[in-house]
Amino acid sequence: MKKALIIGAGLSGLTAARILAEHGFLVTVLEKRDHIGGNVYDYFENDILVHKYGPHLFHTRQKEIADFIQRFSEFFPYEHRVLGEIKDKLVPIPFNFKSIDLLFPAEEAEHLKEVLTRAYPDGGSVPIMELREHPDTKVKELAEFVFQNVFCGYTKKQWGKTPEEMDSSVMGRVPVRMSYDDRYFTDEFQMMPVEGYTAMLRNMAEHENISIRYCCDALRHLGIVGEKLYFDKELCDYPVIYTGCVEDLLGAKFGRLPYRSLRFEAEHKNVTQAQPVVQVNYPNCYSYTRTSEFKLVQKKEVPGRTIVIYEYPLPCKEGDIPYYPAESEESREIYNRYRTELKRLPNLYLLGRLAEYKYYNMDMAISQALMLARSLTEKEDFVDAEAVWTAE
Ligand code: UDP
């Protein structure tokens, strides 16, 4: 039987594991934490859903990805809506016509919407950095308002940088809408797993060819000598998929890559619902960026109590959990040095947000994993071997 080793039991690692297992590979997954799911991990605390590592809302344009995950869980349609506290009001984010109505006197709001409709007759979404460059003075003025009130404070907290210092793709994730569409995402498929992501991933990993070993730091076992990869001094002559921080594979010899980390604080409240929507953003006040009440996403009703999670961004120091790769020209250059050096290992594959150092959404992570696993199933040159690790 062919075999494969996967480092990391998150969304990327398990998607790859599943595909390989279905194609007859004996797959061992090594996971540092004591649970499945990586940062997608969620759990129920007295019947209330908690996303332990921050809000994860599933959305995709690709039917294939939606179909794939629905093999492992029942889903229900859910369109995420976010409010942001701006000028003491809660207004929809992405900033849209409804936000204008709520923030400006009626006559001015009508005028602003007219100006925007003239500038963008087809509606749609415009990245804030692009809107700021618009030739019309009135459009530019509004863009500046949105920039200052929605993006500057939040981005400073989230990344420790100004929006100008960020890669434009990051600001582009939350564009300005030239319509009343107040959904956070516009993808065709938007849905949440009925029992949560952890249950979904458990089902994904439930295959006779997959074994997961928890609390196992693979880096203590892996060794690189020349072009060869070893596990406890035994040659790995099978594919090894790595989903952790890439620099850890090489002892951070080119320096640590920058990431952003998060700290979460939970507040238990004796009310059925604490905030009007699942997520409220605070671009201009407090040191947290947003509060999430995941309970509002779950199916089961729990009267009289709820949990609100406050999210505090942090620089990622040694030992902290990396959540976001802080992509920049400089960090990408460092990343490429690692990647180039690791390319000499023909059976090592880097996969996921951390190993590929890309700000992937869940669907992109799945898509990459599907692609990699499928390409491996088409390779013929991996020798058959018996598994050397078993689940504990
Ligand atoms: N952002 C912002 N204000 C907001 C929401 C987002 O400035 O109210 C910026 C911020 O820089 C953030 C980026 O847009 O990091 C992407 O936001 P998104 O909600 O996609 O972040 P995620 O949910 O991935 O943390």
Side-chain angles (χ1 to χ4, degrees):
M1 204 170 189
K2 288 178 182 178
K3 68 181 248 191
L5 174 64
I6 298 184
I7 318 292
L11 191 55
S12 302
L14 291 179
T15 299
R18 180 71 193 203
I19 297 297
L20 289 172
E22 286 175 356
H23 283 81
F25 280 73
L26 201 55
V27 185
T28 303
V29 183
L30 304 182
E31 171 54 52
K32 195 157 64 171
R33 293 175 179 162
D34 62 359
H35 62 73
I36 207 167
N39 287 354
V40 168
Y41 177 77
D42 55 13
Y43 60 92
F44 285 90
E45 184 179 324
N46 297 326
D47 289 334
I48 298 177
L49 180 68
V50 178
H51 287 195
K52 179 164 182 181
Y53 304 97
H56 284 81
L57 295 313
F58 184 81
H59 58 101
T60 187
R61 285 172 205 282
Q62 297 183 62
K63 182 170 184 305
E64 189 205 359
I65 308 290
D67 288 345
F68 175 72
I69 54 170
Q70 284 179 99
R71 288 177 51 202
F72 309 108
S73 173
E74 198 185 317
F75 277 75
F76 61 93
Y78 168 74
E79 289 183 333
H80 196 46
R81 281 183 172 76
V82 173
L83 295 175
E85 194 177 289
I86 293 165
K87 305 263 178 223
D88 295 328
K89 290 191 174 131
L90 287 181
V91 310
I93 289 179
F95 198 90
N96 61 72
F97 284 8
K98 196 165 166 187
S99 323
I100 294 179
D101 287 344
L102 289 166
L103 284 166
F104 296 93
E107 211 171 303
E108 194 181 349
E110 286 314 309
H111 180 54
L112 284 169
K113 287 182 287 179
E114 262 170 47
V115 169
L116 290 178
T117 308
R118 222 177 302 128
Y120 298 94
D122 299 332
S125 302
V126 183
I128 184 63
M129 301 316 257
E130 192 183 312
L131 198 66
R132 290 179 81 214
E133 301 298 321
H134 199 278
D136 186 296
T137 326
K138 199 71 197 161
V139 174
K140 234 181 157 118
E141 231 176 80
L142 180 70
E144 211 44 42
F145 174 89
V146 177
F147 181 70
Q148 293 299 339
N149 287 285
V150 177
F151 290 93
C152 284
Y154 192 105
T155 301
K156 195 79 198 160
K157 282 192 267 184
Q158 176 72 11
W159 299 97
K161 288 185 176 180
T162 63
E164 288 99 332
E165 291 170 312
M166 297 296 301
D167 193 286
S168 59
S169 62
V170 177
M171 294 304 116
R173 290 170 63 91
V174 186
V176 177
R177 293 261 168 72
M178 302 303 159
S179 65
Y180 276 96
D181 188 350
D182 65 349
R183 295 171 304 161
Y184 208 64
F185 311 109
T186 50
D187 291 349
E188 182 179 350
F189 305 99
Q190 305 191 33
M191 56 196 190
M192 292 293 281
V194 172
E195 300 295 335
Y197 291 110
T198 304
M200 174 189 93
L201 288 170
R202 268 199 209 111
N203 289 337
M204 199 184 279
E206 191 62 50
H207 190 287
E208 56 182 0
N209 287 349
I210 299 178
S211 59
I212 305 181
R213 190 167 146 188
Y214 293 100
C215 303
C216 175
D217 184 355
L219 293 170
R220 291 175 179 272
H221 300 272
L222 283 178
I224 297 173
V225 182
E227 292 170 8
K228 298 206 160 74
L229 197 56
Y230 293 84
F231 190 94
D232 285 345
K233 300 200 174 136
E234 206 171 289
L235 180 68
C236 302
D237 49 8
Y238 42 79
V240 176
I241 298 177
Y242 178 78
T243 69
C245 290
V246 70
E247 67 268 35
D248 290 338
L249 276 175
L250 291 171
K253 65 192 270 191
F254 303 127
R256 292 218 71 81
L257 284 160
Y259 299 91
R260 293 296 285 177
S261 191
L262 298 169
R263 181 172 65 81
F264 298 99
E265 256 175 33
E267 190 181 6
H268 293 70
K269 293 187 164 197
N270 289 327
V271 292
T272 300
Q273 182 168 350
Q275 52 186 48
V277 284
V278 174
Q279 185 183 323
V280 179
N281 288 4
Y282 295 91
N284 307 304
C285 46
Y286 313 123
S287 53
Y288 47 88
T289 46
R290 56 189 176 188
T291 56
S292 302
E293 190 178 4
F294 308 109
K295 182 191 163 191
L296 309 183
V297 188
Q298 75 190 46
K299 274 289 186 204
K300 186 174 177 186
E301 286 179 24
V302 181
R305 57 196 169 83
T306 190
I307 303 175
V308 176
I309 307 283
Y310 294 73
E311 203 167 323
Y312 297 85
L314 307 162
C316 188
K317 298 188 302 303
E318 192 88 38
D320 291 340
I321 297 175
Y323 286 86
Y324 300 91
E327 285 181 80
S328 67
E329 231 169 82
E330 196 188 339
S331 60
R332 193 130 285 280
E333 210 170 286
I334 303 173
Y335 175 80
N336 285 337
R337 292 180 75 185
Y338 285 114
R339 184 148 196 132
T340 307
E341 176 130 348
L342 290 168
K343 265 201 184 132
R344 68 192 153 89
L345 300 161
N347 58 330
L348 176 73
Y349 300 90
L350 303 175
L351 180 69
R353 216 187 231 211
L354 300 177
E356 293 183 74
Y357 203 65
K358 286 203 180 125
Y359 190 172
Y360 284 147
N361 287 337
M362 279 189 286
D363 64 329
M364 300 180 208
I366 295 170
S367 172
Q368 288 296 111
L370 289 177
M371 214 152 59
L372 171 63
R374 284 176 188 151
S375 76
L376 291 176
T377 63
E378 283 154 19
K379 283 195 178 212
E380 291 298 328
D381 54 354
F382 291 113
V383 295
D384 284 4
E386 287 304 310
V388 280
W389 311 283
T390 48
E392 278 167 352

